[in-house]
Amino acid sequence: MKVTVASGKGGTGKTTLVTNLALSLTQLERVQVLDCDVEEPNSNLFLGAELTHLENIEIMTPVVDAEKCDGCGKCVRFCQYNSLALAKEKVLVFSEMCHGCGGCKLVCPQNAISEEPRTIGVVEGGNIGALMDKETKEIQTPHIEFLQGLLKPSEPMAVPIIKALKKRMWDDGAVLLDAPPGTSCPVIEALRGSDFCLLVTEPTPFGLHDLKLAVDVVRSMEIPFGVIINRDGAGNDEVRKYCSNESIRVLLSIPESMEIAKLYSDGIPFVTKMDQWPVRFQNLWSDIEKMASAAQMAKVGEVK
Amino acid sequence: MKQLTVISGKGGTGKTTVTASFAALAENAVLADCDVDAADLHLILKPEVISTHDFFGLKLAHIDYDLCTRCGQCVRHCRFDAIDDDINIIADRCEGCGVCQFVCPVDAISMKERLSGHSHISSTRFGPMAHARLFTAEEASGKLVAVVRNNARILAYEQKRGIIIIDGPPGIGCPVISAISGVDICLIVTEPSLSGMHDLERVLEVTAHFKIPSLVCINKCDINPDNSAKIKSFCKEAGVGVVGELVYDRSVTQAQIKGLSVVEYDDGEVSQSLKAMWNRIMEILDQIK
């Protein structure tokens, strides 16, 4: 089952949720974690996998052969991203603006444009030991497989990296995706094909406002979802009221706690220090499974 | 006219909290909310909208199925996987490049304008404000950020305002680059967690690449004093000034619930620190020609 953790507002606890849930699930299932927040991936600060480089992510950008180019400007007019300009009948390429559509090469009547790959980021991965079994003190296998994408600073395009990362996604087992904040294209790309979405929020006006936006997104994508309230108690009850009015289930709340905040700041997943939590995350997972399969059944019913 | 952008790398470190207080403290500013896909500044500034404009982002391919012969040329040439094997356009993947239209042998594809959001010009109790709303699931947030910044510049010229205070988006990608390009100073709000520190380092690489002077504010600095000390020594080595340290205080959330900036809500320790930080930033901006 593929579960994406998203939020709208940044800093509400997506990574906290993904990493603690992943570690709690290792006692039950094979777990794969994909950090799709390729601009600022943080999951591995908590999971601590030894990462190996898996692939460079490249987009194809144009190179203009000045001898063949007659300065007709067709490529410049075709480009939707302002990455080509004509100066004194010569074509200049601003490759950081290029989305790599390949259109300029297609439209050039002189065959003056070729393409070269430009690396915009990487995909890395590694394995992580699981929680220790309390009785036997044995490290449980299987481990977590962890993968992350990393956008090169100063590069604008996150989506190609998220796509490459998701090509490595398992078909079975527990697959957890840590989405970037916001509601635009990178979030959609992370969410696409998910069986379920957990929306993490905090009980504040900002949290509620951005939760509503995120709910719009998952509803429009027809992905079943539930809400997690983080730092519960720090603000007001408006998030709960909203969820109850909209018939949205609040699946878990994590209280405002100095202990949790301190563990977070040191990069320590709190399930490894607070005994009562792994079972709560396991229960969360079985709720998710029930809701996802009910939604699946409903969909099949509709088709029939 | 000076421009200051507040960014963070990591989300939720307190960009909007800081920006709202700066808005209250500044005497001659235009406010711009450039976090166009999860904007929150308006929840505190409560802008009265004066005018709204449609924002057309990237174009969207449209197929005339009466003409389409299902030859599949468009599918093969699309680099964004935006046309599936049954020749359906997947709208939220389409980047509007126009390649499908170009390669279609029967002219069945046209590129249509796509309404992707709205930009607003407003007034607030602290002065004029430029902001926007990108529809959910849309591309081109960088382009909309550029529209907001342009509106803010026009407001500043028209009303002879000396500074534009920009609330930036999280991350380091397209909308962030658009929100910081050409500004005089970036203020990076971070927190003393490993995540905050990691993201600070990455966002500093971006500001360095675009040669924008950066300053740092450590929010909730007392949650992990060791990490706060590490941030300070890291910044010292990197030649980046730490201009503010804010303690964790529940008044910050209480102010948000009341719809007020922290400096309006009370005159506690966080308010004092915000005022001192604002004065320091103004001094530094004054030195920049």
Side-chain angles (χ1 to χ4, degrees):
Chain A
M1 191 168 59
K2 302 177 183 78
V3 176
T4 299
V5 180
S7 72
K9 177 168 158 48
T12 56
K14 287 179 294 296
T15 300
T16 298
L17 198 87
V18 165
T19 52
N20 283 295
L21 178 58
L23 289 167
S24 305
L25 288 182
T26 50
Q27 296 165 347
L28 310 173
E29 290 212 48
R30 301 167 64 228
V31 182
Q32 188 191 37
V33 173
L34 280 76
D35 195 339
C36 296
D37 186 0
V38 303
E39 296 179 41
E40 298 287 20
N42 287 333
S43 291
N44 203 42
L45 296 173
F46 297 85
L47 296 174
E50 241 178 76
L51 297 176
T52 41
H53 175 270
L54 297 172
E55 62 177 313
N56 284 334
I57 308 306
E58 296 167 336
I59 60 167
M60 299 302 283
T61 54
V63 183
V64 180
D65 182 336
E67 296 205 343
K68 286 188 189 164
C69 172
D70 64 358
C72 74
K74 281 195 173 145
C75 56
V76 176
R77 285 191 295 279
F78 188 87
C79 180
Q80 295 291 313
Y81 314 110
N82 301 317
S83 66
L84 297 170
L86 202 58
K88 292 182 189 156
E89 298 194 350
K90 269 186 149 176
V91 173
L92 304 174
V93 180
F94 301 98
S95 64
E96 282 183 359
M97 313 277 283
C98 175
H99 287 217
C101 72
C104 51
K105 183 183 168 191
L106 285 170
V107 301
C108 178
Q110 304 297 327
N111 273 326
I113 298 182
S114 57
E115 291 181 294
E116 64 177 14
R118 194 162 60 94
T119 302
I120 60 165
V122 297
V123 171
E124 307 170 321
N127 290 301
I128 302 142
L131 277 183
M132 214 157 40
D133 186 292
K134 280 238 174 57
E135 260 85 73
T136 62
K137 300 282 173 205
E138 273 173 20
I139 297 281
Q140 308 257 316
T141 50
H143 313 285
I144 298 173
E145 181 181 277
F146 175 76
L147 296 167
Q148 72 173 19
L150 202 56
L151 179 71
K152 219 165 101 179
S154 84
E155 285 292 340
M157 294 216 301
V159 168
I161 302 174
I162 299 172
K163 279 186 187 168
L165 194 55
K166 289 186 70 174
K167 285 198 177 123
R168 296 170 180 270
M169 198 160 58
W170 292 346
D171 288 328
D172 52 4
V175 181
L176 304 179
L177 295 90
D178 193 352
T183 58
S184 63
C185 34
V187 183
I188 307 304
E189 203 52 55
L191 275 167
R192 201 188 302 277
S194 299
D195 300 304
F196 197 86
C197 174
L198 285 171
L199 294 176
V200 190
T201 189
E202 53 183 40
T204 63
F206 292 178
L208 175 59
H209 177 264
D210 298 349
L211 171 66
K212 290 177 184 170
L213 300 177
V215 166
D216 278 352
V217 172
V218 288
R219 279 190 174 152
S220 74
M221 296 181 78
E222 295 177 6
I223 297 171
F225 68 99
V227 164
I228 310 282
I229 301 178
N230 193 13
R231 299 191 199 106
D232 202 8
N236 56 20
D237 287 331
E238 296 301 315
V239 167
R240 274 212 163 72
K241 280 186 202 156
Y242 163 78
C243 289
S244 124
N245 288 340
E246 292 280 323
S247 310
I248 296 168
R249 273 185 70 185
V250 176
L251 295 171
L252 184 75
S253 80
I254 302 170
E256 165 89 336
S257 140
M258 259 307 167
E259 186 183 5
I260 291 176
K262 178 78 174 60
L263 289 168
Y264 172 85
S265 72
D266 283 323
I268 299 166
F270 65 83
V271 290
T272 61
K273 301 287 174 190
M274 299 166 87
D275 289 351
Q276 69 276 36
W277 278 97
V279 67
R280 289 183 192 164
F281 281 106
Q282 290 162 5
N283 291 341
L284 168 68
W285 188 253
S286 77
D287 284 343
I288 294 171
E289 282 180 321
K290 279 177 214 148
M291 286 177 75
S293 79
Q296 190 62 37
M297 297 282 277
K299 224 175 220 175
V300 171
E302 262 172 42
V303 172
K304 277 177 184 169
Chain B
M1 182 193 54
K2 299 284 168 60
Q3 297 188 71
L4 163 73
T5 302
V6 182
I7 50 172
S8 66
K10 175 169 161 48
T13 58
K15 284 182 295 299
T16 303
T17 295
V18 168
T19 308
S21 282
F22 285 179
L25 293 167
E27 277 160 15
N28 194 24
V30 172
L31 298 326
D33 191 347
C34 286
D35 187 358
V36 295
D37 69 314
D40 288 331
L41 189 61
H42 66 280
L43 298 173
I44 306 298
L45 300 191
K46 305 188 186 85
E48 245 176 73
V49 175
I50 295 167
S51 65
T52 294
H53 301 273
D54 288 343
F55 168 69
F56 295 97
L58 302 170
K59 288 182 181 143
L60 178 63
H62 180 84
I63 298 175
D64 182 342
Y65 290 102
D66 289 338
L67 298 175
C68 174
T69 60
R70 303 192 174 265
C71 69
Q73 283 284 6
C74 54
V75 180
R76 281 189 289 282
H77 277 91
C78 178
R79 297 251 176 108
F80 307 110
D81 311 314
I83 310 176
D84 68 18
D85 291 338
D86 299 325
I87 327 281
N88 295 306
I89 303 286
I90 303 167
D92 50 34
R93 275 191 170 166
C94 176
E95 303 215 6
C97 67
V99 162
C100 54
Q101 179 187 35
F102 181 80
V103 299
C104 178
V106 294
D107 287 335
I109 302 183
S110 52
M111 301 304 295
K112 301 229 156 131
E113 293 285 353
R114 132 157 83 174
L115 183 66
S116 303
H118 294 114
S119 65
H120 309 287
I121 289 175
S122 301
S123 69
T124 75
R125 62 189 184 280
F126 305 127
M129 176 176 179
H131 53 127
R133 171 84 187 92
L134 186 73
F135 298 155
T136 52
E138 284 291 339
E139 279 262 8
S141 50
K143 208 172 157 186
L144 184 52
V145 167
V147 170
V148 172
R149 288 195 53 197
N150 198 39
N151 287 343
R153 273 193 294 269
I154 292 168
L155 284 168
Y157 282 120
E158 282 176 355
Q159 305 192 16
K160 300 196 171 47
R161 300 263 164 175
I163 182 167
I164 300 175
I165 304 172
I166 299 163
D167 192 7
I172 61 165
C174 167
V176 174
I177 292 169
S178 187
I180 66 173
S181 70
V183 303
D184 299 284
I185 278 188
C186 281
L187 175 69
I188 304 169
V189 182
T190 188
E191 60 179 35
S193 64
L194 290 192
S195 306
M197 293 153 81
H198 171 259
D199 296 354
L200 169 65
E201 286 179 33
R202 276 170 66 78
V203 82
L204 276 170
E205 282 184 56
V206 179
T207 57
H209 178 91
F210 292 101
K211 301 192 173 57
I212 300 164
S214 301
L215 301 169
V216 165
C217 163
I218 308 174
N219 193 11
K220 302 182 187 168
C221 60
D222 50 340
I223 281 197
N224 193 321
D226 293 346
N227 284 342
S228 288
K230 279 183 200 153
I231 293 173
K232 281 191 268 185
S233 69
F234 167 79
C235 287
K236 201 173 176 188
E237 265 175 48
V240 175
V242 177
V243 287
E245 290 174 68
L246 309 176
V247 295
Y248 173 77
D249 189 337
R250 298 195 84 153
S251 70
V252 173
T253 303
Q254 290 311 312
Q256 194 190 107
I257 288 169
K258 290 268 181 338
L260 295 171
S261 64
V262 179
V263 293
E264 289 171 287
Y265 178 73
D266 68 7
D267 200 28
E269 197 178 345
V270 178
S271 277
Q272 296 293 338
S273 306
L274 281 163
K275 287 174 191 166
M277 176 161 66
W278 173 247
N279 290 335
R280 276 198 74 183
I281 292 171
M282 289 309 281
E283 281 165 22
I284 294 165
L285 269 173
D286 279 341
Q287 289 160 17
I288 295 176
K289 286 271 156 67

